[in-house]
Amino acid sequence: MPSPFSEEHQQFRKTVRRFCEVELAPHASEWERDELFPNWVFKRAGDLGILGAHYPADVGGAGGDYWFSVAKAEELPRCAAGGVSMGLLVQSDMATPVINDIGTKEQKEEFLAPALRGEKIVALGVSEPNAGSDVAGIQTVARRDGDDYVINGSKTFITNGTRADFVTLLVKTSPEMGARGCSFFLVPTTTKGFHVARKLKKIGNHSSDTAELHFEEMRVPKRYLLGEENMGFMYLMQNFQSE
């Protein structure tokens, strides 16, 4: 079977490999000890085109195909810290694809483009203390109030959660519909009512910050609804394919 990787893919692979071996790996032990890697890693990955290689040019990517992301994922372990790989992959392949797929032009400009440049750090908010990643069981709820949604609930095991600039957040907008009553929102972490409840201790991936988040009467404007209301389950399942 012919290789899916072209010469362009292989040049990109070399960029990721050098970044990992020269700029990241020498710090791996320190970052594992400190249970955090510095924010400049996101910015540097963005500057090198690593985060946006497989995104369209009109959102700040390089216009490449998904094999660029595969090459990236194959090379990232060379940074010698699993938590760094995890944080970067959440940034580029878990919390942002759904914005590219269904976001408005304004949402892409405000959230996606700076995330691909590494200027804004993003987390994906799905898992919950009482439900794990069982979407049907999530209990975080958004109620409509005029031109806003008011969100209450919690999320846990959230990678990049202690320092994210925004969260791609899945909540229930129609709890009576079960999993089919979910919606996605883009939530800046400066929003009143957003709280990092605690940083979680883990048995591995120490350099990745993992948080429990809490939302108390958190008011989010309608313009931050991602896609259509009550279509979040379908969007999430589509997102899971690439994850």
Side-chain angles (χ1 to χ4, degrees), residues 124-133 154-159 198 200 210-215:
L124 178 66
V126 175
S127 298
E128 295 194 358
N130 296 317
S133 294
S154 298
K155 297 291 179 179
T156 195
F157 308 134
I158 306 304
T159 301
R198 60 185 175 128
L200 300 174
T210 307
E212 183 174 299
L213 307 178
H214 183 66
F215 321 113

Side-chain angles (χ1 to χ4, degrees), residues 144-182:
R144 188 71 180 270
D145 184 15
D147 290 332
D148 297 334
Y149 289 83
V150 180
I151 299 175
N152 287 279
S154 298
K155 297 291 179 179
T156 195
F157 308 134
I158 306 304
T159 301
N160 298 339
T162 69
R163 52 168 165 191
D165 295 293
F166 71 95
V167 178
T168 305
L169 184 68
L170 187 71
V171 305
K172 287 278 183 70
T173 40
S174 297
E176 70 280 1
M177 295 174 62
R180 289 181 291 178
C182 295

Side-chain angles (χ1 to χ4, degrees), residues 72-132:
K72 171 188 63 188
E74 289 180 342
E75 296 300 324
L76 279 177
R78 296 177 186 273
C79 73
V84 176
S85 297
M86 179 175 288
L88 290 174
L89 287 171
V90 165
Q91 180 87 1
S92 63
D93 289 72
M94 293 181 68
T96 41
V98 68
I99 310 174
N100 182 59
D101 290 344
I102 62 173
T104 64
K105 181 177 182 292
E106 292 75 19
Q107 288 171 340
K108 291 176 182 179
E109 289 176 351
E110 184 175 353
F111 295 101
L112 179 58
L116 298 183
R117 294 193 298 266
E119 295 170 358
K120 286 186 177 182
I121 299 171
V122 55
L124 178 66
V126 175
S127 298
E128 295 194 358
N130 296 317

